[in-house]
Amino acid sequence: MEGMRFPEQPVTLSVEQVRELNARLSIMRHDIKNHLTVFCAALDLIRLQPHNAERMIQTLGEQPRKIDEVISRFSSELEGTLGIER
């Protein structure tokens, strides 16, 4: 990736770092699943209550940004753990 500086040597993670990484992945999966659930629920509400479509479309429109924030936060934490500099 352009503009990024990667470690020159192999990176070794401790058992604790691997556990922490797994915990962060679990949190990220949970957060993304929650946003996708909101997305699906909003679609169902639009089908059942078309008169609420405008409000639900706003909710739908917010979910990709929120998912991107979750992934970006995880990516930044992972880069820090691995010693990757932007």
Side-chain angles (χ1 to χ4, degrees):
M1 306 230 161
E2 195 172 317
M4 295 181 82
R5 291 188 13 220
F6 293 92
E8 307 249 339
Q9 301 297 317
V11 176
T12 303
L13 300 177
S14 68
V15 171
E16 187 55 40
Q17 287 173 311
V18 172
R19 281 189 186 119
E20 180 65 25
L21 178 59
N22 187 57
R24 289 178 183 170
L25 279 167
S26 179
I27 291 167
M28 182 177 74
R29 282 190 303 266
H30 177 78
D31 289 348
I32 290 172
K33 184 178 178 182
N34 283 347
H35 293 301
L36 292 173
T37 299
V38 169
F39 194 88
C40 291
L43 285 175
D44 286 343
L45 283 171
I46 289 170
R47 285 188 199 106
L48 295 171
Q49 302 173 359
H51 60 279
N52 287 325
E54 189 172 328
R55 185 170 57 91
M56 292 296 102
I57 288 171
Q58 181 179 1
T59 298
L60 289 170
E62 293 170 355
Q63 299 318 301
R65 177 187 53 78
K66 290 180 178 183
I67 291 170
D68 181 61
E69 288 172 359
V70 169
I71 294 170
S72 293
R73 184 173 48 248
F74 174 79
S75 179
S76 293
E77 292 171 355
L78 181 62
E79 288 170 0
T81 299
L82 298 178
I84 298 169
E85 297 176 16
R86 289 189 176 259

